[in-house]
Amino acid sequence: MTLRSTLDFLLYDWLGAEALAARARFADHSRETFDAVLDTCERIAREKYAPFNRTVDTEEPHFDGEKVILPQATYEARKAYAESGLLSAAQDYEIGGMQLPYTVEAAANSFFAVASISIGSNLLTSGNANLLMAHGTALQKEVFALNEFNGRWSGTMCLSEPQAGSSLSDVATRAVPDGAGSESDPLGPRYRLTGNKMWISSGDHELTENIVHLVLAKIPGPDGKLVPGTKGISLFIVPKKMVDAEGNLTGVRNDVALAGLNHKLGWRGTTNTLLNFGEGKFPVEGQAGAVGYLVGQPGKGLHCMFHMMNEARIGIGMAATMLGLAGYYASLDYAKNRPQGRPVQGPKDAAGAAAVVKDAAQPQVRIIEHADVKRMLLAQKSYGEGALALNLFCAKLVDEQHTGDAASADEARLLLEVLTPIAKSWPSEFCLEANSLAIQIHGGYGYTRDFPVEQYWRDNRLNMIHEGTHGIQAMDLLGRKVLMEGGRGLQLLAGRINATIERAIQVPALAAHANALGAALQQVGAATKAAWATGQPADALANAVPYMQAFGHTVLAWVWLDLALATLADDAALAQPASVGRMGSMRYFFHYELPKIGAWLQVVSTRDATCASFPEDAF
């Protein structure tokens, strides 16, 4: 199966995306317009992205002391993406958008991710602008968000600091009012920021006219000290180049300086930076301090930033998914063409016992004929296509949240809350494992740069860290998401899973799998209660990652069972290779993957303290 045929099945046969056109917001659309968007993005990805994936990996960004130098291919790819209109695809017509369902936008973006995840900063630019549309003033939307949507400017997210990492409570960047009249600046209350931000993707480049940094910083209290914890964090727009209230560049450089580039294992085509704010290298009006404009209310910055962070987390899940699928496609092609080994035969030896024999006189077979290679291919297929289905399901929840009736929108919101840690972290772990299996299928060639699979693995290894590490996502899931609103989100998800089980149990070919999923769901529910039996967060969260692994596998088993129901609904297509492939992937996941949850949940249910209590000096 190609990516396009997989997307067509998921969008139309499984999710029923065509029905979205019946909603007022999407009334101008149809399958024809959706397909036209997919066609355009598939073509741009094929022509402008895929041929240069290795180029941007080997020709890393470098700083000449004045500007960041990138390969010409990056400029051309970014220009083609911006001209496609996809940056503003889901926005209103009035601001140049297409009012496209996010479900279709997410599917369209998958072509770019599978072609070259390392080119461009489009994920952050869209997320930055979307945050401003939700929390910015009318002028902030007009000046900053709209110029990001139209491709003139790009955006970043500036959270981490060298001394703080993921601990946002320890943010030390300061923001002080910028003198008399600063509170009435038309672009928002104006502040001067000083501090350092680390790991800023696309933090400096020449791809666009300007870069809009969204920066977390703390406003000192009356005593001049920063408020401890996250409650003191505010959010600021800090443009690389100063602009006026009409969105024109003023010719003045803001006091934001590139301190250096981080040299990453993967995603090498995207600049990753350390930025210094307010060090005085580029004084504005004769004084040091980066000029920033407050977004929302003081002290509410983290609330605003989570709008972008959650969007980025789902985007990272999709990135991990597509890297997993890229490796699968490459290793599938290799396995179909690489001759090695001979079929196993089984005559009995002199004593009458079975013996494994290979006839060296026989010609070699292609490695795809070996059972263990098929196992590795099936694992990749089940991880990658299952994760893609999950991510598109989450994208449809976004559409439901924005265009459904009040009850459906609220359910979608809560389901998305529960599923976001899974949508981000499950692909980051298991599609990385898919990339490892792709290397294994290539054998010795797999870890050479002559084949693409080693790059896919390197690119994907970053995603367990991007936008909140694996452990942070696990604590968010078990420590907050399954408990929020009295556990209603978990109950809603269980209701969806049980509805699939009830349908599948009526189908003889799926009944056993439905029962297995039902048992798994019961185990997850019991483990959730057992983890919190003492009421102590330290007890519950000590094994949050195994909990998330089991929870994620249960969700993916549900997805696969639901996909199987959609596959069986078309009798005429059952004999087609694509349908056989989906059913086989479903069986693989239930036979080889779902049974793993027992071991993961055992330590959760018993609140095993092996790791938490291990003494430091014993390592």
Side-chain angles (χ1 to χ4, degrees), residues 156-411:
T156 73
M157 175 169 58
C158 300
L159 291 81
S160 298
E161 297 178 4
Q163 83 291 343
S166 298
S167 180
L168 297 180
S169 297
D170 298 312
V171 162
T173 299
R174 301 169 66 93
V176 298
D178 188 25
S182 60
E183 70 283 355
S184 57
D185 192 296
L187 291 174
R190 192 177 68 251
Y191 287 74
R192 292 280 183 151
L193 279 70
T194 54
N196 315 102
K197 294 293 181 177
M198 188 72 162
W199 313 116
I200 310 306
S201 295
S202 301
D204 200 32
H205 53 73
E206 303 296 320
L207 294 169
T208 55
E209 294 177 16
N210 204 359
I211 302 174
V212 181
H213 301 295
L214 284 176
V215 184
L216 292 181
K218 291 184 176 181
I219 302 170
D223 59 358
K225 296 181 180 179
L226 299 182
V227 178
T230 59
K231 292 183 179 179
I233 295 176
S234 300
L235 180 64
F236 300 88
I237 299 168
V238 183
K240 176 182 176 179
K241 299 174 182 178
M242 300 299 294
V243 303
D244 62 22
E246 282 73 48
N248 302 308
L249 300 182
T250 65
V252 176
R253 173 74 184 266
N254 204 355
D255 198 8
V256 182
L258 175 64
L261 299 177
N262 298 307
H263 302 285
K264 310 185 301 299
L265 177 75
W267 289 58
R268 291 179 177 176
T270 303
T271 56
N272 191 277
T273 62
L274 170 61
L275 298 177
N276 292 340
F277 291 85
E279 68 175 2
K281 184 172 183 179
F282 303 105
V284 180
E285 296 182 355
Q287 68 179 98
V291 175
Y293 306 98
L294 182 68
V295 178
Q297 298 299 312
K300 301 293 184 181
L302 203 54
H303 168 74
C304 296
M305 186 60 95
F306 264 109
H307 189 284
M308 185 176 181
M309 289 169 66
N310 284 330
E311 186 173 326
R313 284 171 175 171
I314 294 174
I316 288 299
M318 183 64 90
T321 296
M322 301 321 297
L323 284 164
L325 282 172
Y328 166 62
Y329 296 143
S331 61
L332 176 60
D333 180 69
Y334 184 84
K336 287 180 175 180
N337 290 284
R338 167 69 173 176
Q340 186 174 334
R342 291 165 177 83
V344 173
Q345 301 176 25
K348 295 182 182 294
D349 61 17
V356 175
V357 177
K358 293 183 180 181
D359 185 353
Q362 295 295 316
Q364 289 186 322
V365 298
R366 296 166 304 135
I367 62 173
I368 197 170
E369 297 181 47
H370 299 309
D372 193 54
V373 172
K374 289 183 178 180
R375 175 189 64 82
M376 291 187 284
L377 288 169
L378 266 171
Q380 293 179 70
K381 183 176 173 68
S382 71
Y383 297 158
E385 292 182 6
L388 179 57
L390 173 62
N391 275 277
L392 291 177
F393 175 79
C394 288
K396 194 177 181 190
L397 288 177
V398 173
D399 285 324
E400 192 65 34
Q401 186 178 350
H402 292 157
T403 63
D405 60 52
S408 297
D410 188 58
E411 279 197 13

Side-chain angles (χ1 to χ4, degrees), residues 501-559:
I501 291 172
E502 289 173 8
R503 290 168 56 214
I505 210 164
Q506 306 300 321
V507 180
L510 300 179
H513 304 307
N515 285 323
L517 179 57
L521 183 60
Q522 288 182 332
Q523 289 181 66
V524 170
T528 306
K529 292 179 181 178
W532 285 103
T534 67
Q536 298 299 315
D539 293 344
L541 300 181
N543 295 293
V545 167
Y547 176 85
M548 183 170 68
Q549 290 170 316
F551 194 109
H553 260 51
T554 302
V555 168
L556 265 291
W558 163 54
V559 167

